[in-house]
Amino acid sequence: MDFLKVSNITMQFGGLFAVEDVSFHVDRGEIVSLIGPNGAGKTTVFNMLTGVYQITSGTMEFEGHKLEGKTPQEIVGLGISRTFQNLRLFPKMRVIENVLVGTHIRTKYNFFDGLFRSKAFRKEEAEKTVRAIEILESIGLEKYINSYVESLPYGEQRKVEIARAIATDAKLLLLDEPAAGMNPSESEELLHFIRSLKDKGFTVLMIEHDMNVVMNISDRIYVLDHGKLIAHGLPGEIANDKRVIEAYLGGERKHAKNR
Amino acid sequence: MDKVREKIKTKGLLFNIEHFFDRYKVIISVVFAVVALSVPFIGLSRATMRLLVMIGLYSMLGMGLNLLVGYTGQVSLGHAGFYAIGAYVCALLQVDAGVNFWLALLIGGIVSGFVGFLLGLPTLRLSGTYLSIVTLGFCEVVQMILKQWESVTYGNYGVRNIPKPELFGFTFNQQNGGFYIIILVLAVLTALGCHFIKNSKTGRAFIAIKEDELAATMMGIKTSRYKILAFVLSAFITGIAGGFYSVINNGYIEPTNFTFNISILIMSVVIVGGLGTIRGMVFGATILMLFPEVFRFLNEWRFVIYGVLLVLMMQFRPQGALGWQSTLPYRLSKETKKLLEKKKAAAEDASRTK
């Protein structure tokens, strides 16, 4: 049984194939990167995996559970959680409250427990709060626990988003450009953090443009261009792959022909 | 004095005010309770007592609407409809079926909550302005039903001879401060309820939906369920407030007591006081109820000034008079602190044995 196995998935919007016949797999404990030029369909793949879009065709399996046709909430319940390319935090809530929203799906007490402050509420709320604090400490955000998200620097907000995703007790984290907008020292720090996630047993599938990050931590890399998978392999192989270089920089021959 | 000034400089005035209230909250609560409970016995005029009752009533209405608008961000212009349903169910059950006031009040709230559930269903598909228009339509539909369904609602004639509430032989009325006591208890209970809801997973889900619905969905929050729950809770509270209103209005209610203007008034309480806060609802209700009384000498002009004030408010303080974010640290419960200490001790032990 594969951890995450995606077979021949296609996403069609009208006449446009945003993602076409893409297959890949992620094994438990791996860090896999999904790269490609802008508009290649990387984020669309994330949206398909997390149930934002209902896929046109193909199959997706996570730990033996089918993902297609499931709601985003059910998919989070299975243990897949994501971050967003353009931050989607809850800006007027505190950092710790954002992370507590992440624990929502694993919080069992019901509405009346909360309303009447029952024993179950107090016990579980304490556990989740402590868990949220631990996650924030592990990602180096302990001094911002009480702050409101909107007051945080951009790089720190990205970390809050990762913390929130972890709080759902996800086994597979989908990180959409985690290093975007970070300066070199921040992205270096992030690199260490993502590596530490792997040591803690998380599996990471990530979209990233920062090649320093991608090449340094990926176990394997998939390259997407115009909705199609054009290459996959180890970081070293990808860095020297002609088709990949062509996709990113444009090929010489093609150019000549057009003229 | 210098010390105080220094403190204010480093942490900000707001922090110090909040810190003061937080530190002495027990004493402040006791003082509030003593003052609030002694009000009926210090010989205030009838008009003043009535004003206090109205402030309590609109605080409660504000808190009800705030659950919906302030937390989940769904704007309803139809709360006069829920208010009317609560009032009519409560009044008719008493007048025509002889049901006891307290039971009728509760049933009114439940019926209103159920209608809230039905009205909440379209919110799954609508948001923003479209939703507001639907709720506005709802308000008008209720108004029409009250006027036309004469065999049940008595139409424009209104429901008359609504009895005064009684409990263990004590009759609550305006003169003996009974109305005041009832609304005080109802408003305090509502405030506590809202506070507890806000600081639980339910409240966080509500606010998350307001802040970013897609992100909330991706965190596994069943957004449709929570949006409807907010509608139901809000309608329930508003219905209870309506039931209370039916008995304090000189024993009769008529459809014109529940026009669209009332929806706007409740919305104004929420906006003036501060969206998403409970303190703001009490403040907003106080301002809006006091205003027409204090400026009575201006006659019709007071409404012009009222309008201008609202416009200025929107321009210069859109978050509402008391709509600030708390500057205090996140409150950790006793249980949380205990658990944190336990974990810390365990971690220290572990590192020592290494």
Side-chain angles (χ1 to χ4, degrees), chain B residues 48-267:
Chain B
T48 316
M49 282 310 287
R50 166 128 190 121
L51 184 66
L52 287 175
V53 169
M54 291 312 279
I55 290 174
L57 178 61
Y58 273 85
S59 303
M60 188 172 165
L61 286 167
M63 287 181 234
L65 183 60
N66 182 43
L67 260 181
L68 195 63
V69 184
Y71 295 173
T72 58
Q74 304 179 90
V75 177
S76 165
L77 297 175
H79 266 51
F82 297 121
Y83 190 41
I85 290 170
Y88 266 81
V89 170
C90 181
L92 291 170
L93 279 176
Q94 290 183 78
V95 173
D96 291 340
V99 177
N100 166 298
F101 165 74
W102 307 100
L103 185 61
L105 184 73
L106 185 65
I107 296 174
I110 292 170
V111 171
S112 177
F114 179 71
V115 177
F117 168 75
L118 295 180
L119 188 64
L121 291 175
T123 66
L124 305 180
R125 296 192 170 272
L126 300 173
S127 61
T129 333
Y130 302 102
L131 173 64
S132 306
I133 299 292
V134 169
T135 57
L136 194 153
F138 164 73
C139 186
E140 291 305 311
V141 168
V142 171
Q143 189 64 211
M144 280 299 141
I145 292 174
L146 295 182
K147 282 181 180 163
Q148 304 297 330
W149 197 13
E150 288 178 356
S151 58
V152 174
T153 65
Y154 300 99
N156 283 321
Y157 182 73
V159 186
R160 281 160 202 263
N161 301 321
I162 304 166
K164 300 257 180 297
E166 279 182 28
L167 194 66
F168 305 123
F170 178 78
T171 308
F172 294 82
N173 61 27
Q174 194 68 261
Q175 288 84 351
N176 66 14
F179 288 165
Y180 169 83
I181 296 294
I182 296 178
I183 195 63
L184 180 67
V185 171
L186 285 178
V188 168
L189 284 179
T190 310
L192 279 176
C194 289
H195 178 73
F196 287 159
I197 290 170
K198 191 182 179 187
N199 296 300
S200 74
K201 81 170 196 182
T202 313
R204 288 193 295 264
F206 284 166
I207 299 170
I209 289 170
K210 178 190 182 185
E211 294 280 287
D212 190 329
E213 197 174 333
L214 177 65
T217 307
M218 302 316 283
M219 288 300 113
I221 294 171
K222 294 189 170 125
T223 48
S224 349
R225 192 180 288 185
Y226 279 94
K227 280 161 90 173
I228 291 181
L229 178 63
F231 246 101
V232 171
L233 289 173
S234 183
F236 175 77
I237 294 170
T238 310
I240 297 275
F244 172 73
Y245 177 75
S246 76
V247 297
I248 63 162
N249 201 33
N250 298 322
Y252 82 98
I253 51 170
E254 54 186 8
T256 49
N257 292 137
F258 308 99
T259 54
F260 177 63
N261 292 344
I262 300 294
S263 288
I264 297 295
L265 186 55
I266 306 172
M267 187 59 93

Side-chain angles (χ1 to χ4, degrees), chain A residues 92 107 109 117 125 148, chain B residues 196 201 204 211 221 326 330:
Chain A
K92 293 216 159 26
T107 310
Y109 69 76
R117 305 272 118 157
E125 188 75 2
Y148 291 91
Chain B
F196 287 159
K201 81 170 196 182
R204 288 193 295 264
E211 294 280 287
I221 294 171
S326 171
Y330 183 74

Side-chain angles (χ1 to χ4, degrees), chain A:
Chain A
M1 185 179 74
D2 286 293
F3 188 63
L4 175 73
K5 187 176 161 74
V6 174
S7 316
N8 312 98
I9 54 168
T10 297
M11 188 74 231
Q12 192 179 355
F13 296 107
L16 176 83
F17 286 87
V19 171
E20 197 177 349
D21 206 24
V22 168
S23 304
F24 63 91
H25 71 98
V26 178
D27 293 331
R28 195 184 295 274
E30 268 190 318
I31 298 179
V32 175
S33 290
L34 197 57
I35 64 169
N38 288 325
K42 306 178 297 284
T43 299
T44 307
V45 169
F46 272 22
N47 283 336
M48 292 159 87
L49 282 171
T50 51
V52 177
Y53 296 151
Q54 290 303 322
I55 62 173
T56 313
S57 64
T59 59
M60 304 181 294
E61 227 173 73
F62 177 71
E63 290 195 309
H65 300 278
K66 277 204 165 114
L67 295 183
E68 61 268 23
K70 285 213 162 56
T71 63
Q73 288 91 344
E74 288 167 336
I75 292 172
V76 181
L78 290 177
I80 301 180
S81 186
R82 71 176 290 185
T83 66
F84 295 87
Q85 188 174 357
N86 309 308
L87 290 171
R88 299 197 82 126
L89 285 160
F90 310 118
K92 293 216 159 26
M93 296 172 91
R94 295 173 194 266
V95 169
I96 186 166
E97 286 171 326
N98 267 268
V99 179
L100 281 170
V101 170
T103 65
H104 177 95
I105 193 162
R106 307 291 169 198
T107 310
K108 294 288 175 289
Y109 69 76
N110 64 28
F111 167 71
F112 292 102
D113 286 326
L115 183 59
F116 298 115
R117 305 272 118 157
S118 72
K119 212 174 165 190
F121 166 84
R122 281 175 286 146
K123 181 164 174 281
E124 207 179 357
E125 188 75 2
E127 285 166 10
K128 299 299 176 199
T129 311
V130 169
R131 165 125 174 87
I133 292 172
E134 283 172 353
I135 293 171
L136 287 167
E137 279 172 352
S138 75
I139 201 169
L141 282 173
E142 57 271 21
K143 66 173 173 176
Y144 291 115
I145 284 175
N146 294 314
S147 311
Y148 291 91
V149 162
E150 58 188 355
S151 69
L152 257 57
Y154 189 76
E156 306 293 332
Q157 291 195 19
R158 285 224 162 265
K159 286 193 197 163
V160 177
E161 225 190 5
I162 299 174
R164 191 181 64 177
I166 292 173
T168 64
D169 281 353
K171 297 167 214 163
L172 173 64
L173 293 172
L174 308 181
L175 307 181
D176 199 343
E177 297 197 27
M182 288 190 174
N183 62 38
S185 77
E186 279 174 331
S187 73
E188 189 71 25
E189 207 182 300
L190 183 82
L191 213 147
H192 287 294
F193 177 73
I194 294 176
R195 247 196 219 127
S196 75
L197 284 179
K198 183 181 171 173
D199 299 335
K200 282 179 195 149
F202 288 99
T203 307
V204 178
L205 175 62
M206 120 183 132
I207 295 173
E208 188 49 70
H209 281 303
D210 186 330
M211 282 305 143
N212 178 38
V213 174
V214 172
M215 293 300 163
N216 274 308
I217 59 172
S218 308
D219 293 310
R220 285 182 302 120
I221 298 174
Y222 286 93
V223 188
L224 217 56
D225 187 29
H226 291 109
K228 287 179 188 146
L229 215 51
I230 56 166
H232 74 270
L234 303 172
E237 296 167 2
I238 294 296
N240 300 313
D241 190 297
K242 266 208 183 116
R243 282 168 304 174
V244 176
I245 296 166
E246 199 177 275
Y248 268 92
L249 303 173
E252 261 173 43
R253 252 179 300 141
K254 219 172 165 184
H255 232 90
K257 245 186 210 169
N258 284 349
R259 265 180 207 167

